[in-house]
Coordinates of all heavy atoms in Angstrom, one line a residue:
M272 N 27.7 -69.0 67.6 CA 28.3 -69.5 66.4 C 28.7 -68.4 65.4 O 29.7 -68.5 64.8 CB 27.3 -70.5 65.7 CG 27.0 -71.7 66.5 SD 28.5 -72.7 66.7 CE 28.3 -73.0 68.5
A273 N 27.8 -67.4 65.3 CA 28.1 -66.3 64.3 C 29.4 -65.6 64.7 O 30.3 -65.3 63.9 CB 27.0 -65.4 64.2
E274 N 29.5 -65.3 66.0 CA 30.7 -64.6 66.5 C 32.0 -65.4 66.3 O 33.0 -64.9 65.8 CB 30.6 -64.3 68.0 CG 31.8 -63.6 68.6 CD 31.7 -63.3 70.0 OE1 30.8 -63.8 70.7 OE2 32.6 -62.5 70.5
K275 N 31.9 -66.7 66.6 CA 33.1 -67.5 66.4 C 33.5 -67.6 64.9 O 34.7 -67.6 64.6 CB 32.9 -68.9 67.0 CG 32.8 -68.9 68.5 CD 32.5 -70.3 69.1 CE 32.4 -70.3 70.6 NZ 32.2 -71.6 71.2
F276 N 32.5 -67.8 64.1 CA 32.7 -67.8 62.7 C 33.4 -66.5 62.2 O 34.4 -66.6 61.5 CB 31.4 -68.1 61.9 CG 31.5 -68.0 60.4 CD1 31.9 -69.1 59.7 CD2 31.2 -66.8 59.7 CE1 32.0 -69.0 58.3 CE2 31.3 -66.8 58.3 CZ 31.7 -67.9 57.7
L277 N 32.8 -65.4 62.5 CA 33.3 -64.1 62.0 C 34.7 -63.8 62.5 O 35.6 -63.4 61.8 CB 32.4 -63.0 62.4 CG 31.0 -62.9 61.7 CD1 30.1 -61.9 62.4 CD2 31.2 -62.6 60.3
M278 N 35.0 -64.1 63.8 CA 36.3 -63.8 64.3 C 37.4 -64.7 63.7 O 38.4 -64.3 63.4 CB 36.3 -63.9 65.9 CG 35.3 -63.0 66.5 SD 35.4 -61.2 66.0 CE 37.0 -60.8 66.7
N279 N 37.1 -66.0 63.5 CA 38.0 -66.9 62.9 C 38.2 -66.5 61.4 O 39.4 -66.5 61.0 CB 37.6 -68.3 63.1 CG 37.9 -68.9 64.4 OD1 39.0 -69.0 64.8 ND2 36.8 -69.2 65.2
L280 N 37.2 -66.2 60.8 CA 37.3 -65.9 59.4 C 38.1 -64.6 59.2 O 39.0 -64.6 58.3 CB 35.9 -65.7 58.7 CG 35.8 -65.3 57.3 CD1 36.4 -66.3 56.4 CD2 34.4 -65.0 56.9
S281 N 37.8 -63.6 60.0 CA 38.6 -62.3 59.8 C 40.1 -62.5 60.2 O 40.9 -61.8 59.7 CB 38.0 -61.2 60.7 OG 38.1 -61.5 62.0
A282 N 40.4 -63.5 61.0 CA 41.8 -63.7 61.4 C 42.5 -64.7 60.4 O 43.6 -65.0 60.6 CB 41.8 -64.3 62.8
G283 N 41.7 -65.1 59.4 CA 42.4 -66.0 58.4 C 42.4 -67.5 58.9 O 43.0 -68.3 58.2
K284 N 41.7 -67.8 59.9 CA 41.6 -69.2 60.5 C 40.5 -69.9 59.8 O 39.4 -70.2 60.4 CB 41.5 -69.2 62.0 CG 42.6 -68.5 62.7 CD 42.4 -68.5 64.2 CE 43.5 -67.8 64.9 NZ 43.2 -67.7 66.3
I285 N 40.7 -70.2 58.5 CA 39.6 -70.7 57.6 C 39.1 -72.1 58.1 O 37.9 -72.3 58.2 CB 40.0 -70.8 56.2 CG1 40.5 -69.4 55.7 CG2 38.9 -71.3 55.3 CD1 39.5 -68.3 55.9
D286 N 40.0 -73.0 58.4 CA 39.6 -74.3 58.9 C 38.8 -74.2 60.2 O 37.8 -75.0 60.4 CB 40.8 -75.2 59.1 CG 41.4 -75.6 57.8 OD1 40.7 -75.7 56.8 OD2 42.6 -76.0 57.7
E287 N 39.2 -73.3 61.1 CA 38.4 -73.1 62.3 C 37.0 -72.5 62.0 O 36.0 -72.9 62.6 CB 39.2 -72.2 63.3 CG 38.6 -72.2 64.7 CD 38.7 -73.5 65.5 OE1 39.5 -74.3 65.1 OE2 37.9 -73.6 66.4
A288 N 37.0 -71.5 61.1 CA 35.7 -70.9 60.8 C 34.8 -71.9 60.2 O 33.6 -71.9 60.4 CB 35.9 -69.7 59.8
K289 N 35.3 -72.8 59.4 CA 34.5 -73.8 58.7 C 33.8 -74.8 59.7 O 32.7 -75.3 59.4 CB 35.3 -74.7 57.7 CG 35.6 -73.8 56.5 CD 36.6 -74.5 55.5 CE 36.8 -75.9 55.4 NZ 37.8 -76.4 54.4
K290 N 34.3 -74.9 60.9 CA 33.7 -75.7 62.0 C 32.3 -75.1 62.3 O 31.5 -75.9 62.9 CB 34.5 -75.8 63.2 CG 35.8 -76.5 63.0 CD 36.6 -76.5 64.3 CE 38.0 -77.2 64.1 NZ 38.8 -77.1 65.4
Y291 N 32.1 -73.9 62.1 CA 30.8 -73.2 62.5 C 29.9 -72.9 61.3 O 29.0 -72.2 61.4 CB 31.1 -71.9 63.2 CG 32.1 -72.1 64.4 CD1 33.4 -71.8 64.3 CD2 31.6 -72.7 65.5 CE1 34.3 -72.0 65.4 CE2 32.5 -72.9 66.6 CZ 33.8 -72.6 66.5 OH 34.6 -72.9 67.6
A292 N 30.3 -73.5 60.1 CA 29.5 -73.2 58.9 C 28.9 -74.5 58.3 O 29.4 -75.6 58.6 CB 30.5 -72.6 57.9
T293 N 28.0 -74.3 57.4 CA 27.4 -75.4 56.6 C 28.5 -75.9 55.7 O 29.5 -75.1 55.4 CB 26.2 -74.9 55.9 OG1 26.5 -73.9 55.0 CG2 25.0 -74.5 56.7
E294 N 28.3 -77.1 55.1 CA 29.3 -77.6 54.2 C 29.4 -76.7 52.9 O 30.5 -76.4 52.5 CB 28.9 -79.0 53.8 CG 29.9 -79.7 52.9 CD 29.6 -81.1 52.6 OE1 28.8 -81.7 53.3 OE2 30.1 -81.6 51.5
P295 N 28.3 -76.2 52.3 CA 28.5 -75.3 51.2 C 29.2 -74.0 51.5 O 30.0 -73.5 50.7 CB 27.0 -75.1 50.7 CG 26.2 -76.2 51.2 CD 26.9 -76.6 52.5
T296 N 29.0 -73.5 52.7 CA 29.7 -72.3 53.1 C 31.2 -72.6 53.2 O 32.0 -71.8 52.8 CB 29.1 -71.8 54.4 OG1 27.7 -71.4 54.2 CG2 29.9 -70.5 54.9
G297 N 31.5 -73.7 53.8 CA 32.9 -74.1 53.9 C 33.6 -74.2 52.5 O 34.7 -73.8 52.3
K298 N 32.9 -74.8 51.6 CA 33.4 -74.9 50.2 C 33.6 -73.5 49.6 O 34.6 -73.3 48.9 CB 32.5 -75.8 49.3 CG 32.5 -77.3 49.7 CD 31.6 -78.1 48.9 CE 31.7 -79.6 49.3 NZ 30.8 -80.4 48.5
M299 N 32.7 -72.6 49.9 CA 32.8 -71.3 49.3 C 34.0 -70.6 49.9 O 34.7 -69.9 49.2 CB 31.5 -70.5 49.7 CG 31.5 -69.1 49.1 SD 30.5 -67.9 49.9 CE 31.1 -67.9 51.6
L300 N 34.3 -70.8 51.2 CA 35.5 -70.2 51.9 C 36.8 -70.8 51.2 O 37.7 -70.0 51.0 CB 35.5 -70.6 53.3 CG 34.4 -69.9 54.2 CD1 34.5 -70.3 55.6 CD2 34.5 -68.4 54.1
D301 N 36.8 -72.1 50.9 CA 37.9 -72.6 50.2 C 38.2 -72.0 48.9 O 39.3 -71.7 48.5 CB 37.8 -74.2 50.1 CG 37.9 -74.9 51.4 OD1 38.5 -74.4 52.4 OD2 37.4 -76.0 51.5
L302 N 37.1 -71.8 48.2 CA 37.1 -71.2 46.9 C 37.6 -69.8 47.0 O 38.5 -69.3 46.2 CB 35.8 -71.3 46.1 CG 35.7 -70.6 44.8 CD1 36.6 -71.3 43.8 CD2 34.3 -70.6 44.3
M303 N 37.1 -69.0 47.9 CA 37.5 -67.6 48.1 C 39.0 -67.5 48.4 O 39.6 -66.7 47.8 CB 36.7 -67.0 49.3 CG 37.1 -65.6 49.6 SD 36.3 -65.0 51.2 CE 37.4 -65.8 52.4
I304 N 39.5 -68.4 49.3 CA 40.9 -68.4 49.6 C 41.7 -68.8 48.4 O 42.8 -68.2 48.1 CB 41.2 -69.2 50.8 CG1 40.5 -68.7 52.0 CG2 42.7 -69.4 51.0 CD1 41.0 -67.3 52.5
G305 N 41.3 -69.7 47.7 CA 42.0 -70.2 46.5 C 42.0 -69.2 45.4 O 43.0 -69.1 44.6
L306 N 41.1 -68.2 45.4 CA 41.1 -67.2 44.4 C 41.8 -65.9 44.9 O 41.6 -64.8 44.3 CB 39.6 -66.8 44.0 CG 38.9 -68.0 43.2 CD1 37.5 -67.6 43.0 CD2 39.6 -68.3 41.9
G307 N 42.4 -66.0 46.0 CA 43.2 -64.8 46.5 C 42.4 -64.0 47.5 O 42.8 -62.9 47.8
G308 N 41.4 -64.5 48.0 CA 40.5 -63.7 49.0 C 41.2 -63.4 50.3 O 40.8 -62.6 51.1
A309 N 42.4 -64.0 50.6 CA 43.1 -63.8 51.8 C 43.5 -62.4 52.0 O 43.7 -61.9 53.1 CB 44.3 -64.8 51.9
K310 N 43.7 -61.7 50.9 CA 44.2 -60.3 51.0 C 43.1 -59.4 51.7 O 43.4 -58.3 52.1 CB 44.6 -59.7 49.6 CG 43.4 -59.6 48.7 CD 44.0 -59.1 47.3 CE 42.9 -58.9 46.3 NZ 41.7 -59.6 46.3
D311 N 41.8 -59.8 51.6 CA 40.7 -59.0 52.2 C 40.5 -59.3 53.7 O 39.6 -58.8 54.2 CB 39.4 -59.3 51.4 CG 39.6 -58.9 49.9 OD1 40.3 -57.9 49.7 OD2 39.0 -59.5 49.1
L312 N 41.3 -60.2 54.3 CA 41.1 -60.5 55.7 C 41.4 -59.4 56.6 O 42.3 -58.6 56.2 CB 41.8 -61.8 56.0 CG 41.5 -63.0 55.2 CD1 42.4 -64.2 55.6 CD2 40.0 -63.4 55.5
N313 N 40.8 -59.3 57.7 CA 41.0 -58.2 58.7 C 41.2 -58.8 60.1 O 40.2 -59.0 60.8 CB 39.9 -57.2 58.7 CG 40.1 -56.1 59.6 OD1 41.1 -56.0 60.3 ND2 39.1 -55.2 59.7
P314 N 42.4 -59.1 60.5 CA 42.6 -59.7 61.8 C 42.1 -58.9 63.0 O 42.0 -59.3 64.1 CB 44.1 -60.0 61.9 CG 44.7 -59.3 60.8 CD 43.6 -58.9 59.8
N315 N 42.0 -57.6 62.8 CA 41.5 -56.6 63.8 C 40.0 -56.4 63.8 O 39.5 -55.4 64.4 CB 42.3 -55.3 63.7 CG 43.7 -55.5 63.9 OD1 44.2 -56.2 64.8 ND2 44.5 -54.9 63.0
F316 N 39.3 -57.2 63.0 CA 37.8 -57.0 62.9 C 37.1 -57.0 64.2 O 37.4 -57.9 65.1 CB 37.3 -58.2 62.0 CG 35.8 -58.2 61.8 CD1 35.2 -57.3 61.0 CD2 35.0 -59.0 62.5 CE1 33.8 -57.2 60.8 CE2 33.6 -59.0 62.3 CZ 33.0 -58.1 61.5
K317 N 36.3 -56.1 64.4 CA 35.4 -56.0 65.6 C 34.0 -55.8 65.2 O 33.7 -55.2 64.1 CB 35.9 -54.8 66.5 CG 37.3 -54.8 66.9 CD 37.4 -55.6 68.2 CE 38.9 -55.4 68.7 NZ 39.7 -56.5 68.6
F318 N 33.1 -56.3 65.9 CA 31.7 -56.1 65.6 C 30.9 -55.9 66.9 O 31.3 -56.4 68.0 CB 31.1 -57.1 64.7 CG 30.8 -58.5 65.4 CD1 29.6 -58.7 65.8 CD2 31.8 -59.4 65.5 CE1 29.3 -60.0 66.5 CE2 31.6 -60.6 66.1 CZ 30.3 -60.9 66.6
T319 N 29.7 -55.3 66.7 CA 28.8 -55.1 67.8 C 27.5 -55.8 67.5 O 26.9 -55.5 66.5 CB 28.6 -53.6 68.1 OG1 29.8 -52.9 68.3 CG2 27.7 -53.3 69.2
F320 N 27.1 -56.6 68.4 CA 25.8 -57.4 68.2 C 24.7 -56.3 68.3 O 24.7 -55.5 69.2 CB 25.7 -58.4 69.3 CG 24.4 -59.1 69.3 CD1 24.0 -60.1 68.5 CD2 23.4 -58.7 70.3 CE1 22.8 -60.7 68.5 CE2 22.1 -59.3 70.3 CZ 21.8 -60.3 69.4
V321 N 23.7 -56.4 67.4 CA 22.6 -55.5 67.4 C 21.3 -56.3 67.9 O 20.7 -56.0 68.9 CB 22.3 -54.9 66.1 CG1 21.1 -54.1 66.1 CG2 23.5 -54.1 65.6
R322 N 21.0 -57.4 67.2 CA 19.9 -58.2 67.6 C 19.9 -59.5 66.8 O 20.7 -59.7 65.9 CB 18.6 -57.5 67.3 CG 18.3 -57.3 65.8 CD 16.9 -56.5 65.6 NE 16.7 -56.2 64.3 CZ 16.1 -57.0 63.4 NH1 15.6 -58.1 63.8 NH2 16.0 -56.6 62.1
D323 N 19.0 -60.5 67.1 CA 18.9 -61.6 66.3 C 17.4 -61.9 66.1 O 16.6 -61.3 66.7 CB 19.6 -62.9 67.0 CG 19.0 -63.2 68.4 OD1 17.9 -62.8 68.7 OD2 19.7 -63.9 69.1
S324 N 17.2 -62.8 65.1 CA 15.8 -63.1 64.8 C 15.9 -64.6 64.4 O 16.7 -65.1 63.6 CB 15.4 -62.3 63.5 OG 14.1 -62.7 63.1
I325 N 15.0 -65.4 65.1 CA 14.9 -66.8 64.9 C 13.5 -67.2 64.4 O 12.6 -66.9 65.1 CB 15.3 -67.6 66.2 CG1 16.7 -67.2 66.6 CG2 15.2 -69.1 65.9 CD1 17.1 -67.7 68.0
V326 N 13.5 -67.9 63.3 CA 12.2 -68.5 62.8 C 12.5 -70.0 62.5 O 13.2 -70.3 61.5 CB 11.8 -67.7 61.5 CG1 10.5 -68.3 61.0 CG2 11.6 -66.2 61.8
E327 N 11.9 -70.8 63.4 CA 12.1 -72.2 63.2 C 13.5 -72.6 63.2 O 14.3 -72.5 64.1 CB 11.3 -72.8 62.1 CG 9.8 -72.6 62.3 CD 8.9 -73.1 61.1 OE1 9.4 -73.8 60.2 OE2 7.7 -72.8 61.1
N328 N 14.0 -73.1 62.0 CA 15.4 -73.6 61.9 C 16.3 -72.7 61.1 O 17.3 -73.0 60.6 CB 15.4 -75.0 61.2 CG 14.9 -76.1 62.1 OD1 15.0 -76.0 63.3 ND2 14.3 -77.1 61.5
Q329 N 15.9 -71.4 61.2 CA 16.7 -70.4 60.4 C 16.8 -69.2 61.4 O 15.9 -68.8 62.1 CB 16.0 -70.0 59.2 CG 16.8 -69.2 58.2 CD 16.1 -69.1 56.8 OE1 14.9 -69.3 56.7 NE2 16.9 -68.7 55.8
A330 N 18.0 -68.5 61.4 CA 18.2 -67.4 62.3 C 19.1 -66.4 61.5 O 19.8 -66.7 60.6 CB 18.9 -67.8 63.5
W331 N 19.0 -65.1 62.0 CA 19.8 -64.1 61.4 C 20.4 -63.3 62.6 O 19.7 -63.0 63.6 CB 19.0 -63.1 60.6 CG 18.4 -63.8 59.4 CD1 19.0 -63.8 58.1 CD2 17.2 -64.5 59.3 NE1 18.2 -64.6 57.3 CE2 17.1 -65.0 58.0 CE3 16.2 -64.8 60.2 CZ2 16.0 -65.7 57.6 CZ3 15.1 -65.6 59.8 CH2 15.0 -66.0 58.5
V332 N 21.7 -63.0 62.5 CA 22.3 -62.2 63.5 C 22.7 -60.9 62.9 O 23.4 -60.8 61.9 CB 23.6 -62.9 64.1 CG1 24.4 -61.9 65.0 CG2 23.2 -64.2 64.8
F333 N 22.1 -59.8 63.4 CA 22.4 -58.5 62.9 C 23.4 -57.8 63.8 O 23.4 -57.9 65.0 CB 21.1 -57.6 63.0 CG 20.0 -58.2 62.1 CD1 19.2 -59.2 62.6 CD2 19.8 -57.7 60.8 CE1 18.1 -59.7 61.8 CE2 18.8 -58.2 60.0 CZ 17.9 -59.3 60.5
Y334 N 24.4 -57.2 63.1 CA 25.5 -56.6 63.8 C 26.0 -55.3 63.1 O 25.6 -55.1 61.9 CB 26.7 -57.6 64.0 CG 27.3 -58.1 62.7 CD1 28.4 -57.4 62.2 CD2 26.8 -59.1 62.0 CE1 29.0 -57.9 61.0 CE2 27.4 -59.6 60.8 CZ 28.5 -58.9 60.3 OH 29.0 -59.4 59.1
K335 N 26.9 -54.6 63.7 CA 27.6 -53.5 63.1 C 29.1 -53.7 63.1 O 29.6 -54.2 64.1 CB 27.2 -52.1 63.8 CG 25.8 -51.7 63.6 CD 25.5 -50.4 64.2 CE 24.1 -50.0 64.0 NZ 23.8 -48.6 64.6
D336 N 29.7 -53.4 62.0 CA 31.2 -53.6 62.0 C 31.9 -52.4 62.7 O 31.2 -51.5 63.2 CB 31.7 -53.9 60.6 CG 31.6 -52.7 59.7 OD1 31.4 -51.5 60.1 OD2 31.8 -52.9 58.4
E337 N 33.2 -52.4 62.6 CA 34.0 -51.4 63.3 C 33.8 -50.0 62.8 O 34.1 -49.0 63.4 CB 35.5 -51.7 63.4 CG 36.2 -51.8 62.0 CD 36.1 -53.2 61.4 OE1 35.5 -54.1 61.9 OE2 36.7 -53.4 60.3
K338 N 33.2 -49.9 61.5 CA 32.9 -48.6 60.9 C 31.5 -48.3 61.1 O 30.9 -47.4 60.4 CB 33.3 -48.7 59.4 CG 34.8 -48.8 59.2 CD 35.1 -48.9 57.7 CE 36.6 -49.2 57.5 NZ 36.9 -49.5 56.1
D339 N 30.8 -49.0 62.0 CA 29.4 -48.8 62.3 C 28.4 -49.2 61.1 O 27.3 -48.7 61.1 CB 29.1 -47.4 62.8 CG 28.0 -47.4 63.8 OD1 27.9 -48.3 64.6 OD2 27.3 -46.3 63.9
K340 N 28.9 -50.0 60.2 CA 28.1 -50.4 59.0 C 27.3 -51.6 59.4 O 27.8 -52.6 59.9 CB 29.0 -50.7 57.9 CG 28.3 -51.2 56.6 CD 29.2 -51.7 55.6 CE 28.5 -52.4 54.5 NZ 29.3 -53.3 53.7
P341 N 26.0 -51.5 59.3 CA 25.1 -52.7 59.6 C 25.3 -53.8 58.6 O 25.5 -53.6 57.4 CB 23.7 -52.1 59.6 CG 23.8 -50.9 58.7 CD 25.2 -50.4 58.8
D342 N 25.2 -55.0 59.1 CA 25.3 -56.2 58.3 C 24.6 -57.3 59.1 O 24.1 -57.2 60.2 CB 26.8 -56.6 58.1 CG 27.0 -57.4 56.8 OD1 26.0 -57.9 56.2 OD2 28.1 -57.6 56.4
K343 N 24.4 -58.5 58.4 CA 23.8 -59.6 59.0 C 24.4 -60.9 58.5 O 25.0 -60.9 57.5 CB 22.3 -59.6 58.8 CG 21.8 -59.9 57.4 CD 20.3 -59.9 57.2 CE 20.0 -60.0 55.7 NZ 18.6 -59.9 55.5
I344 N 24.2 -61.9 59.3 CA 24.7 -63.3 58.9 C 23.6 -64.3 59.2 O 22.9 -64.2 60.2 CB 26.0 -63.6 59.6 CG1 26.7 -64.8 59.0 CG2 25.8 -63.8 61.1 CD1 28.2 -65.0 59.4
E345 N 23.4 -65.2 58.3 CA 22.4 -66.2 58.4 C 22.9 -67.5 59.0 O 24.1 -67.9 58.8 CB 21.8 -66.5 57.0 CG 20.7 -67.6 57.1 CD 20.3 -68.1 55.7 OE1 20.9 -67.7 54.7 OE2 19.3 -68.9 55.7
L346 N 22.1 -68.1 59.9 CA 22.4 -69.4 60.4 C 21.2 -70.3 60.2 O 20.1 -69.9 60.1 CB 22.7 -69.3 61.9 CG 23.9 -68.5 62.4 CD1 23.5 -67.1 62.6 CD2 24.5 -69.2 63.6
V347 N 21.5 -71.6 60.0 CA 20.5 -72.6 59.9 C 20.8 -73.7 60.9 O 21.9 -73.9 61.3 CB 20.5 -73.2 58.5 CG1 20.0 -72.2 57.5 CG2 21.8 -73.8 58.1
K348 N 19.7 -74.4 61.4 CA 19.9 -75.4 62.4 C 19.9 -76.7 61.6 O 18.9 -77.1 61.0 CB 18.7 -75.4 63.4 CG 19.0 -76.2 64.6 CD 17.9 -75.9 65.6 CE 18.3 -76.1 67.0 NZ 17.3 -75.8 68.0
L349 N 21.0 -77.5 61.7 CA 21.2 -78.8 61.1 C 21.6 -79.8 62.2 O 22.5 -79.6 62.9 CB 22.3 -78.7 60.0 CG 22.1 -77.7 58.9 CD1 23.4 -77.6 58.0 CD2 20.9 -78.2 58.0
D350 N 20.8 -80.9 62.2 CA 21.1 -81.9 63.2 C 21.2 -81.3 64.6 O 22.1 -81.7 65.4 CB 22.3 -82.7 62.9 CG 22.2 -83.4 61.5 OD1 21.1 -83.9 61.2 OD2 23.2 -83.4 60.8
G351 N 20.4 -80.3 65.0 CA 20.3 -79.7 66.3 C 21.4 -78.7 66.6 O 21.5 -78.2 67.7
K352 N 22.3 -78.4 65.6 CA 23.3 -77.4 65.8 C 23.2 -76.2 64.8 O 22.9 -76.4 63.6 CB 24.7 -78.0 65.6 CG 25.0 -79.1 66.5 CD 26.4 -79.7 66.3 CE 26.7 -80.8 67.3 NZ 28.0 -81.4 67.1
W353 N 23.4 -75.0 65.3 CA 23.4 -73.8 64.5 C 24.7 -73.7 63.7 O 25.8 -73.8 64.2 CB 23.2 -72.6 65.3 CG 21.8 -72.5 65.9 CD1 21.4 -72.8 67.1 CD2 20.6 -72.1 65.1 NE1 20.1 -72.6 67.3 CE2 19.5 -72.2 66.1 CE3 20.4 -71.8 63.8 CZ2 18.2 -71.9 65.7 CZ3 19.1 -71.5 63.5 CH2 18.0 -71.6 64.4
K354 N 24.6 -73.5 62.4 CA 25.7 -73.3 61.5 C 25.5 -72.1 60.6 O 24.4 -71.8 60.2 CB 25.8 -74.5 60.5 CG 26.0 -75.9 61.2 CD 27.4 -76.0 61.6 CE 27.7 -77.4 62.2 NZ 29.1 -77.6 62.4
V355 N 26.6 -71.3 60.4 CA 26.5 -70.2 59.5 C 26.3 -70.7 58.1 O 26.9 -71.6 57.6 CB 27.8 -69.4 59.6 CG1 27.9 -68.3 58.5 CG2 28.0 -68.8 61.0
N356 N 25.4 -70.0 57.4 CA 25.0 -70.4 56.0 C 25.1 -69.1 55.1 O 24.3 -68.2 55.3 CB 23.6 -70.9 56.0 CG 23.2 -71.5 54.7 OD1 23.9 -72.3 54.1 ND2 22.0 -71.1 54.2
V357 N 26.1 -69.1 54.3 CA 26.4 -67.9 53.5 C 26.1 -68.3 52.0 O 26.8 -69.2 51.4 CB 27.8 -67.4 53.6 CG1 28.1 -66.2 52.6 CG2 28.1 -67.0 55.0
G358 N 25.1 -67.7 51.4 CA 24.9 -67.8 50.0 C 24.4 -69.2 49.5 O 24.6 -69.4 48.3
S359 N 23.8 -70.0 50.3 CA 23.3 -71.3 49.8 C 22.0 -71.6 50.6 O 21.7 -71.0 51.5 CB 24.3 -72.4 50.0 OG 24.5 -72.7 51.3
K360 N 21.4 -72.7 50.1 CA 20.2 -73.2 50.8 C 20.5 -74.4 51.6 O 19.8 -75.3 51.7 CB 19.1 -73.5 49.8 CG 18.6 -72.3 49.0 CD 17.9 -71.4 49.8 CE 17.3 -70.2 49.0 NZ 16.8 -69.1 49.8
K361 N 21.6 -74.4 52.4 CA 22.1 -75.5 53.2 C 22.9 -76.4 52.3 O 23.6 -77.1 52.4 CB 21.0 -76.2 54.0 CG 20.3 -75.4 54.9 CD 19.3 -76.2 55.6 CE 17.9 -75.6 55.2 NZ 16.8 -76.2 55.5

């Protein structure tokens, strides 16, 4: 889920990225695009998976971007499905 979310987001496929995100994260993406965030998109984005960590219904995917900068993305399990959760409590 994290990979699909990141790849669609970086390519500007916001509606597709939202399929892999929590509802609040989808709303945040809409707001970001509405405020001109599309200029920051990177259709050539690449990342390297480093590791993941899962604790009950919460998970983190750690990765490095194309500049070897470490980052992570949070996922939560809702109704049996993992969804990317950015900046909210579901």
Side-chain angles (χ1 to χ4, degrees):
M272 291 303 132
E274 178 180 13
K275 291 178 181 179
F276 174 82
L277 289 170
M278 298 312 289
N279 282 296
L280 179 62
S281 65
K284 299 177 182 175
I285 304 305
D286 287 334
E287 190 66 23
K289 287 172 26 179
K290 292 178 183 178
Y291 306 103
T293 61
E294 185 176 338
T296 299
K298 289 179 180 180
M299 183 201 63
L300 292 176
D301 289 338
L302 179 62
M303 178 190 78
I304 295 300
L306 294 174
K310 67 182 181 333
D311 298 326
L312 298 176
N313 177 4
N315 298 316
F316 177 77
K317 302 272 188 257
F318 74 95
T319 304
F320 172 81
V321 175
R322 68 181 175 90
D323 61 19
S324 177
I325 301 170
V326 179
E327 297 181 11
N328 290 328
Q329 194 169 14
W331 298 266
V332 173
F333 297 84
Y334 64 94
K335 290 184 180 181
D336 67 14
E337 64 270 4
K338 295 178 183 171
D339 213 32
K340 179 185 168 201
D342 206 345
K343 69 180 175 187
I344 192 163
E345 178 188 5
L346 293 94
V347 292
K348 197 173 206 178
L349 300 172
D350 299 323
K352 295 181 181 180
W353 287 104
K354 299 281 187 171
V355 171
N356 187 51
V357 178
S359 72
K360 297 290 182 192
K361 297 179 246 173

